[in-house]
mmCIF file of all heavy atoms in Angstrom:
data_model
loop_
_atom_site.group_PDB
_atom_site.id
_atom_site.type_symbol
_atom_site.label_atom_id
_atom_site.label_comp_id
_atom_site.label_asym_id
_atom_site.label_seq_id
_atom_site.Cartn_x
_atom_site.Cartn_y
_atom_site.Cartn_z
ATOM 1 N N HIS A 42 -11.245 12.469 -20.876
ATOM 2 C CA HIS A 42 -10.882 13.207 -19.662
ATOM 3 C C HIS A 42 -9.734 12.538 -18.925
ATOM 4 O O HIS A 42 -9.045 13.195 -18.146
ATOM 5 C CB HIS A 42 -12.078 13.317 -18.707
ATOM 6 C CG HIS A 42 -13.037 14.382 -19.078
ATOM 7 N ND1 HIS A 42 -12.729 15.716 -19.076
ATOM 8 C CD2 HIS A 42 -14.329 14.313 -19.462
ATOM 9 C CE1 HIS A 42 -13.774 16.427 -19.438
ATOM 10 N NE2 HIS A 42 -14.760 15.588 -19.687
ATOM 11 N N ASN A 43 -9.507 11.253 -19.152
ATOM 12 C CA ASN A 43 -8.460 10.510 -18.454
ATOM 13 C C ASN A 43 -7.180 10.359 -19.258
ATOM 14 O O ASN A 43 -6.239 9.725 -18.788
ATOM 15 C CB ASN A 43 -8.971 9.129 -18.053
ATOM 16 C CG ASN A 43 -10.089 9.204 -17.045
ATOM 17 O OD1 ASN A 43 -10.030 10.005 -16.116
ATOM 18 N ND2 ASN A 43 -11.112 8.402 -17.229
ATOM 19 N N LEU A 44 -7.149 10.902 -20.473
ATOM 20 C CA LEU A 44 -5.973 10.786 -21.331
ATOM 21 C C LEU A 44 -5.254 12.126 -21.415
ATOM 22 O O LEU A 44 -5.869 13.162 -21.622
ATOM 23 C CB LEU A 44 -6.374 10.303 -22.726
ATOM 24 C CG LEU A 44 -6.995 8.912 -22.791
ATOM 25 C CD1 LEU A 44 -7.477 8.605 -24.196
ATOM 26 C CD2 LEU A 44 -5.996 7.862 -22.327
ATOM 27 N N ARG A 45 -3.929 12.072 -21.312
ATOM 28 C CA ARG A 45 -3.097 13.272 -21.344
ATOM 29 C C ARG A 45 -2.819 13.682 -22.787
ATOM 30 O O ARG A 45 -2.530 12.854 -23.638
ATOM 31 C CB ARG A 45 -1.768 12.970 -20.649
ATOM 32 C CG ARG A 45 -0.772 14.102 -20.619
ATOM 33 C CD ARG A 45 0.581 13.651 -20.073
ATOM 34 N NE ARG A 45 0.494 12.797 -18.919
ATOM 35 C CZ ARG A 45 0.382 13.230 -17.667
ATOM 36 N NH1 ARG A 45 0.349 14.516 -17.420
ATOM 37 N NH2 ARG A 45 0.315 12.374 -16.674
ATOM 38 N N CYS A 46 -2.884 14.985 -23.020
ATOM 39 C CA CYS A 46 -2.455 15.501 -24.310
ATOM 40 C C CYS A 46 -0.932 15.404 -24.347
ATOM 41 O O CYS A 46 -0.245 15.932 -23.475
ATOM 42 C CB CYS A 46 -2.893 16.952 -24.501
ATOM 43 S SG CYS A 46 -2.239 17.681 -26.012
ATOM 44 N N LEU A 47 -0.386 14.726 -25.324
ATOM 45 C CA LEU A 47 1.052 14.501 -25.393
ATOM 46 C C LEU A 47 1.805 15.751 -25.817
ATOM 47 O O LEU A 47 3.018 15.819 -25.673
ATOM 48 C CB LEU A 47 1.349 13.340 -26.339
ATOM 49 C CG LEU A 47 0.714 12.017 -25.915
ATOM 50 C CD1 LEU A 47 0.878 10.969 -26.992
ATOM 51 C CD2 LEU A 47 1.267 11.536 -24.601
ATOM 52 N N VAL A 48 1.093 16.742 -26.332
ATOM 53 C CA VAL A 48 1.713 18.012 -26.704
ATOM 54 C C VAL A 48 1.689 18.958 -25.511
ATOM 55 O O VAL A 48 2.701 19.522 -25.121
ATOM 56 C CB VAL A 48 0.990 18.642 -27.914
ATOM 57 C CG1 VAL A 48 1.546 20.011 -28.239
ATOM 58 C CG2 VAL A 48 1.078 17.730 -29.126
ATOM 59 N N CYS A 49 0.513 19.149 -24.930
ATOM 60 C CA CYS A 49 0.343 20.095 -23.804
ATOM 61 C C CYS A 49 0.890 19.521 -22.509
ATOM 62 O O CYS A 49 1.432 20.246 -21.693
ATOM 63 C CB CYS A 49 -1.134 20.421 -23.618
ATOM 64 S SG CYS A 49 -1.938 20.998 -25.117
ATOM 65 N N GLN A 50 0.706 18.255 -22.269
ATOM 66 C CA GLN A 50 1.192 17.479 -21.132
ATOM 67 C C GLN A 50 0.531 17.812 -19.803
ATOM 68 O O GLN A 50 0.733 17.114 -18.841
ATOM 69 C CB GLN A 50 2.701 17.574 -20.992
ATOM 70 C CG GLN A 50 3.426 17.007 -22.178
ATOM 71 C CD GLN A 50 4.916 16.998 -21.995
ATOM 72 O OE1 GLN A 50 5.419 17.329 -20.938
ATOM 73 N NE2 GLN A 50 5.640 16.617 -23.022
ATOM 74 N N ASN A 51 -0.232 18.873 -19.719
ATOM 75 C CA ASN A 51 -0.901 19.149 -18.454
ATOM 76 C C ASN A 51 -2.401 19.277 -18.645
ATOM 77 O O ASN A 51 -3.098 19.742 -17.774
ATOM 78 C CB ASN A 51 -0.334 20.412 -17.798
ATOM 79 C CG ASN A 51 -0.567 21.644 -18.641
ATOM 80 O OD1 ASN A 51 -0.894 21.553 -19.817
ATOM 81 N ND2 ASN A 51 -0.399 22.811 -18.065
ATOM 82 N N GLU A 52 -2.883 18.865 -19.802
ATOM 83 C CA GLU A 52 -4.310 18.917 -20.106
ATOM 84 C C GLU A 52 -4.762 17.554 -20.601
ATOM 85 O O GLU A 52 -3.972 16.784 -21.146
ATOM 86 C CB GLU A 52 -4.596 19.902 -21.236
ATOM 87 C CG GLU A 52 -4.456 21.340 -20.907
ATOM 88 C CD GLU A 52 -4.866 22.213 -22.085
ATOM 89 O OE1 GLU A 52 -4.336 22.054 -23.183
ATOM 90 O OE2 GLU A 52 -5.736 23.045 -21.870
ATOM 91 N N SER A 53 -6.033 17.292 -20.440
ATOM 92 C CA SER A 53 -6.577 16.074 -21.029
ATOM 93 C C SER A 53 -6.793 16.336 -22.521
ATOM 94 O O SER A 53 -6.860 17.494 -22.955
ATOM 95 C CB SER A 53 -7.899 15.705 -20.365
ATOM 96 O OG SER A 53 -8.910 16.627 -20.733
ATOM 97 N N ILE A 54 -6.918 15.277 -23.289
ATOM 98 C CA ILE A 54 -7.151 15.475 -24.720
ATOM 99 C C ILE A 54 -8.527 16.075 -24.962
ATOM 100 O O ILE A 54 -8.773 16.684 -26.004
ATOM 101 C CB ILE A 54 -6.971 14.171 -25.532
ATOM 102 C CG1 ILE A 54 -7.995 13.119 -25.129
ATOM 103 C CG2 ILE A 54 -5.556 13.656 -25.419
ATOM 104 C CD1 ILE A 54 -8.036 11.905 -26.043
ATOM 105 N N ASP A 55 -9.416 15.943 -23.999
ATOM 106 C CA ASP A 55 -10.749 16.520 -24.119
ATOM 107 C C ASP A 55 -10.700 18.046 -24.024
ATOM 108 O O ASP A 55 -11.529 18.727 -24.608
ATOM 109 C CB ASP A 55 -11.660 15.956 -23.027
ATOM 110 C CG ASP A 55 -13.123 16.105 -23.369
ATOM 111 O OD1 ASP A 55 -13.522 15.691 -24.471
ATOM 112 O OD2 ASP A 55 -13.859 16.644 -22.536
#
Side-chain angles (χ1 to χ4, degrees):
H42 280 295
N43 295 318
L44 297 174
R45 179 188 317 275
C46 174
L47 300 172
V48 175
C49 307
Q50 297 185 5
N51 63 345
E52 288 184 305
S53 70
I54 63 170
D55 201 52

